[in-house]
Amino acid sequence: MTNQYAIVLAAGQGTRMKSKLYKVLHPVCGKPMVEHVVDQIAQLDMKKIVTIVGHGAEDVQEHLQDKSEFVKQEEQLGTAHAVLQAKELLADLDGVTIVVCGDTPLIESATMGALIKYHSEKRAKATILTTQLDDPTGYGRILRDDLGIVERIVEHKDATEKEQRVQEINTGTYCFNNRALFEALSKVSNDNAQGEYYLPDVIKILKDSDEVVAAYRMENFEESLGVNDRVALAEASRLMRNRINERLMREGVTLVDPNSTYIDVDVEIGQDTVIEANVTLRGNTKIGEDCLISSGCDFDNAVIGNRTIIRSSAIEDSKVGDDVQIGPFAHLRPESEIHNHVKIGNYVETKKAIVGENTKLPHFIYMGDAEIGKNVNVGCGSISVNYDGFNKSKTVIGDNVFVGCNSNLIAPINVADNAYIAAGSTLTDDVPEGALAVGRARQVNKEGYAKKIVEKFNK
């Protein structure tokens, strides 16, 4: 099999984005645009993937890390000049090289694989990935002869009225014979209005040398969308969401209203789980089978077990077991671990908390830096007081403990198994196993005092 290489163009500044964030790092459904491109390329049998970086080079390298090699284009002098920066890594190698723009997040590995296959079958020196548009305004046109053979690419501004009616356009993705590519690059001129070196000029150079130049037309024009501004970014995100949602539904997930469901590309959901409208699932969230995720939920890197019901709640960087009920309006902050058969009710917040099996936190509770055992009931309004203004301390509650309403457990504190905490208690000391802890002032009634207060303020 012929060796395959890839060059990803990711050096442009992206001034039309009007952003401090480097263009190709703008996320589409949870992943930077350029990472979408590289991940799709990586599904093919590539010997090398080389990303051309420029502005924001360090940030791009940090995101892609070991997925690619990198070459920096110090000056942005055009697409041909960008590809030429990979000369030291690729020029002396035999094989085929695909060149892809880093701002085309919708392109898929299957399309690139078909392009390479077509290129090899035609024994071409260059093959252009094209598509058909009803309105091709602004795109370079593919001009073919009567036999359908590619003659040249003409830019919209340079096209005649007849040429502008051509609907087949250049997507900006190419496949080349690797050695022919770098030989032709050395001949590209910057004799144009912008004074830049353009990659499409390689096509003309190869044609003038009587080399075979082909064009592979893909069916799904959406894959060719290049993102240059926020409008195109929103459109790319919409199309990617549609792709993700359709895949999940075909895999057995019910999306009640796909148009108002926002799911990142790496999210995994099991069969027969129901996702209601206005749900956002981010990052590496994983949801098991037979779950119900109701309207208004927002998860980020959440891992959810099977048969769990979560209503209108937020979960971040946390794990939830099987047969759990959460919400409405609960908030699981990072490093929470909720075991099987737990009930977490409305307005409950956890942070770095472990909650054991069959435990109930019904409502209006905060448990931070806490370890709670099995079969525990924590009453309404109870708090693990974990922060003294300087340090975070841990609360440990054993198995089979009852915590009465409005209890304050001032950490560090350890409540042993089978203990009982009276409602309204503020505890600063450990509670032994099986003990009743009462930490509240004795009630005092002052007869007639309320009447004196009323009289005083009514004078």
Side-chain angles (χ1 to χ4, degrees):
M1 182 178 176
T2 304
N3 288 336
Q4 298 178 167
Y5 314 101
I7 297 174
V8 180
L9 303 182
Q13 187 172 5
T15 54
R16 279 179 283 176
M17 294 295 287
K18 292 181 168 48
S19 174
K20 295 182 287 296
L21 181 64
Y22 183 44
K23 182 176 78 167
V24 298
L25 293 181
H26 277 266
V28 173
C29 295
K31 185 181 290 186
M33 289 191 283
V34 69
E35 193 171 356
H36 278 289
V37 174
V38 171
D39 284 350
Q40 290 296 317
I41 292 171
Q43 294 180 34
L44 304 171
D45 184 20
M46 291 289 167
K47 294 296 182 182
K48 283 181 181 288
I49 300 174
V50 180
T51 301
I52 312 301
V53 295
H55 298 281
E58 292 181 0
D59 292 335
V60 174
Q61 290 177 237
E62 182 180 349
H63 275 280
L64 297 180
Q65 296 183 359
D66 58 353
K67 295 181 178 182
S68 173
E69 297 179 58
F70 302 93
V71 177
K72 189 170 185 180
Q73 185 186 19
E74 296 291 348
E75 294 182 89
Q76 278 67 60
L77 300 178
T79 50
H81 180 260
V83 173
L84 191 58
Q85 305 312 299
K87 182 177 179 179
E88 289 189 13
L89 293 176
L90 296 177
D92 296 329
L93 302 176
D94 293 317
V96 298
T97 295
I98 186 169
V99 179
V100 190
C101 294
D103 61 359
T104 55
L106 298 172
I107 194 164
E108 296 191 82
S109 61
T111 299
M112 291 184 282
L115 171 65
I116 294 170
K117 183 174 182 288
Y118 185 85
H119 173 84
S120 299
E121 290 173 349
K122 295 297 181 181
R123 299 187 178 184
K125 294 296 184 183
T127 303
I128 310 157
L129 182 65
T130 73
T131 192
Q132 197 90 355
L133 291 182
D134 291 337
D135 179 9
T137 303
Y139 290 92
R141 309 302 204 281
I142 304 299
L143 302 184
R144 300 175 183 260
D145 64 17
D146 294 339
L147 298 176
I149 297 171
V150 174
E151 290 187 323
R152 62 193 176 98
I153 302 171
V154 60
E155 295 303 318
H156 177 85
K157 64 180 181 299
D158 300 322
T160 65
E161 185 176 341
K162 180 181 177 181
E163 290 168 344
Q164 287 184 2
R165 289 197 293 269
V166 173
Q167 293 180 308
E168 186 179 12
I169 62 104
N170 174 21
T171 67
T173 295
Y174 307 87
C175 189
F176 295 99
N177 172 286
N178 188 65
R179 287 187 182 274
L181 168 63
F182 284 96
E183 288 171 9
L185 284 170
S186 65
K187 302 173 185 177
V188 174
S189 167
N190 67 340
D191 185 17
N192 52 59
Q194 283 72 36
E196 295 188 352
Y197 300 88
Y198 294 129
L199 190 57
D201 289 350
V202 169
I203 302 299
K204 183 177 186 305
I205 291 168
L206 293 173
K207 284 292 292 184
D208 289 347
S209 300
D210 293 325
E211 301 289 1
V212 176
V213 173
Y216 174 75
R217 185 185 301 172
M218 63 178 177
E219 295 299 323
N220 184 5
F221 71 90
E222 294 175 349
E223 291 186 45
S224 66
L225 178 65
V227 176
N228 290 313
D229 58 25
R230 306 295 180 121
V231 175
L233 180 66
E235 178 65 6
S237 296
R238 183 186 70 82
L239 294 170
M240 182 69 78
R241 280 199 306 272
N242 290 346
R243 183 186 295 178
I244 293 166
N245 291 353
E246 181 176 338
R247 172 179 58 81
L248 289 169
M249 288 188 287
R250 294 192 185 281
E251 291 174 354
V253 178
T254 295
L255 303 184
V256 174
D257 183 5
N259 291 329
S260 63
T261 305
Y262 303 87
I263 302 176
D264 280 355
V265 67
D266 290 327
V267 171
E268 299 176 15
I269 306 175
Q271 288 185 359
D272 293 312
T273 283
V274 176
I275 310 293
E276 293 186 348
N278 299 312
V279 168
T280 300
L281 306 176
R282 298 186 178 91
N284 292 309
T285 291
K286 294 177 174 56
I287 301 174
E289 298 183 350
D290 302 296
C291 295
L292 171 63
I293 311 300
S294 86
S295 178
C297 284
D298 189 331
F299 301 167
D300 193 349
N301 298 320
V303 178
I304 313 296
N306 300 317
R307 300 174 302 280
T308 286
I309 299 172
I310 304 177
R311 301 185 185 280
S312 305
S313 296
I315 302 177
E316 310 161 48
D317 299 295
S318 296
K319 297 180 179 180
V320 177
D322 299 337
D323 302 292
V324 174
Q325 295 184 49
I326 296 177
F329 312 121
H331 187 185
L332 274 56
R333 290 168 55 197
E335 297 184 65
S336 294
E337 185 175 333
I338 312 303
H339 290 190
N340 299 339
H341 303 285
V342 167
K343 180 178 180 181
I344 292 181
N346 51 303
Y347 301 104
V348 173
E349 181 177 345
T350 65
K351 190 275 295 182
K352 202 174 182 179
I354 298 173
V355 181
E357 288 192 17
N358 296 303
T359 285
K360 295 179 176 63
L361 281 66
H363 32 228
F364 297 98
I365 293 165
Y366 172 69
M367 287 288 135
D369 298 285
E371 184 177 325
I372 304 169
K374 301 176 182 178
N375 304 307
V376 173
N377 188 92
V378 180
C380 175
S382 296
I383 297 172
S384 64
V385 186
N386 59 326
Y387 185 49
D388 62 6
F390 300 96
N391 300 298
K392 299 287 182 68
S393 299
K394 189 172 183 179
T395 296
V396 178
I397 300 173
D399 297 339
N400 308 306
V401 171
F402 181 89
V403 180
C405 292
N406 291 316
S407 294
N408 297 308
L409 309 179
I410 300 178
I413 190 169
N414 192 321
V415 180
D417 295 348
N418 304 303
Y420 194 106
I421 298 172
S425 292
T426 295
L427 303 183
T428 57
D429 298 323
D430 291 350
V431 180
E433 182 174 356
L436 166 64
V438 183
R440 59 193 183 206
R442 185 177 298 278
Q443 181 175 332
V444 176
N445 295 329
K446 296 186 177 181
E447 297 289 339
Y449 197 80
K451 183 179 179 181
K452 292 181 180 178
I453 294 174
V454 171
E455 290 175 349
K456 176 181 177 181
F457 284 100
N458 285 337
K459 287 182 179 179

